[in-house]
Amino acid sequence: MGSSPTAGAGTGTRNKERPLTAEQAAAVASDAPRICVRAGPGSGKTGVLVERVSRRVTDGRLDLARTLAITFTENAAAEMKSRLACAFEERGLEEQRRRLERAYISTIHGFCARLLREHAIEAGADPHFEVLDEVRSGVLKQATLDAVLDESYRRNPQAFLEFVRHFNKREYESLLVKLYGTVRRLGGDPANKAQLLARIAQTGKNPDGALARLGAAQREAVAEVLLELHRA
């Protein structure tokens, strides 16, 4: 499908009886190679994408097997499949209704996991891998952080204590995790100490931020902890 995946990212529900607005109808009917629908929650983005897909499948312009729809949540993906199933049934498209179960409609995590499982040998991956949920990810993250902090203290207790004396335990742990995530999110290399120091210095410019309390030596200690966190 030519439309942007972001067009289906919402989880809003459009009442079946509610007619499309002029803007929604234009998005459904457009033959533009790329379409971006920007709207708030509950405004009908999912309904627009469902109608766009079902119409194109009906008139033969779209092969469901070659369609990718990415959503933010599993609930949104399930809703989209359910609404497409209803649309296909109403149009008598039983074959497309059956194919829907294998369609690429999922979260980005679900899509990537499916690709890896379908091409596990080429990717060198164990096909029985699991995607970490938030609970298990949080437990592993905390265990890793505890181990890294213990090792940092063992290697250089003076530098470590000089850093942590500026914060309570919950505060400095939160700070380290947030900094590490920021570097990765912005495309930085968590293994590059210079990039870490640059990010720490930039964050520290905020006078209300936690890093504003630290001097150069303490920021160096923060960078060392982040490097160890990455290696772990």
Side-chain angles (χ1 to χ4, degrees):
M1 189 175 78
S3 62
S4 165
T6 57
T11 60
T13 302
R14 183 174 64 87
N15 189 306
K16 274 181 63 176
E17 284 74 31
R18 189 197 309 173
L20 294 170
T21 67
E23 290 180 330
Q24 289 173 332
V28 168
S30 175
D31 289 322
R34 292 181 179 86
I35 295 176
C36 179
V37 177
R38 300 175 60 185
S43 57
K45 295 187 297 298
T46 301
V48 167
L49 185 55
V50 166
E51 187 66 20
R52 184 175 170 85
V53 170
S54 60
R55 286 190 189 184
R56 279 160 174 70
V57 170
T58 300
D59 62 22
R61 287 187 289 165
L62 182 66
D63 180 359
L64 198 59
R66 296 177 60 82
T67 300
L68 171 63
I70 297 296
T71 66
F72 285 122
T73 67
E74 295 290 351
N75 286 340
E79 179 194 353
M80 190 179 299
K81 280 190 174 183
S82 175
R83 292 170 70 172
L84 277 171
C86 291
F88 291 156
E89 288 175 359
E90 289 173 358
R91 290 171 167 83
L93 301 174
E94 291 302 321
E95 179 62 26
Q96 296 295 346
R97 170 65 182 84
R98 288 191 292 270
R99 291 182 182 179
L100 186 60
E101 294 305 315
R102 292 291 299 163
Y104 284 92
I105 301 174
S106 68
T107 62
I108 186 65
H109 292 81
F111 172 62
C112 292
R114 178 174 172 177
L115 282 183
L116 285 174
R117 289 193 175 96
E118 291 179 348
H119 304 281
I121 295 177
E122 296 95 319
D126 180 350
H128 302 294
F129 72 87
E130 295 183 6
V131 178
L132 279 179
D133 57 35
E134 289 188 16
V135 174
R136 287 186 295 169
S137 175
V139 170
L140 288 175
K141 186 184 296 183
Q142 186 61 53
T144 301
L145 182 58
D146 289 343
V148 166
L149 291 174
D150 288 345
E151 177 63 17
S152 297
Y153 174 75
R154 187 190 66 78
R155 293 197 319 183
N156 193 338
Q158 183 176 356
F160 180 80
L161 291 175
E162 178 62 22
F163 160 56
V164 300
R165 72 180 180 85
H166 295 275
F167 312 95
N168 60 48
K169 185 175 188 292
R170 184 180 298 275
E171 191 178 31
Y172 71 71
E173 288 187 351
S174 175
L175 170 67
L176 291 169
V177 171
K178 186 180 295 185
L179 270 173
Y180 182 74
T182 298
V183 172
R184 296 191 64 182
R185 187 173 64 255
L186 296 179
D189 181 3
N192 186 314
K193 187 174 181 178
Q195 287 188 22
L196 289 175
L197 286 170
R199 175 57 53 190
I200 292 168
Q202 182 178 355
T203 306
K205 290 178 181 178
N206 179 2
D208 298 323
L211 288 177
R213 311 173 200 170
L214 304 182
Q218 288 75 46
R219 294 181 184 187
E220 185 86 12
V222 172
E224 289 295 339
V225 172
L226 292 176
L227 286 171
E228 288 299 324
L229 187 60
H230 178 68
R231 297 187 189 108

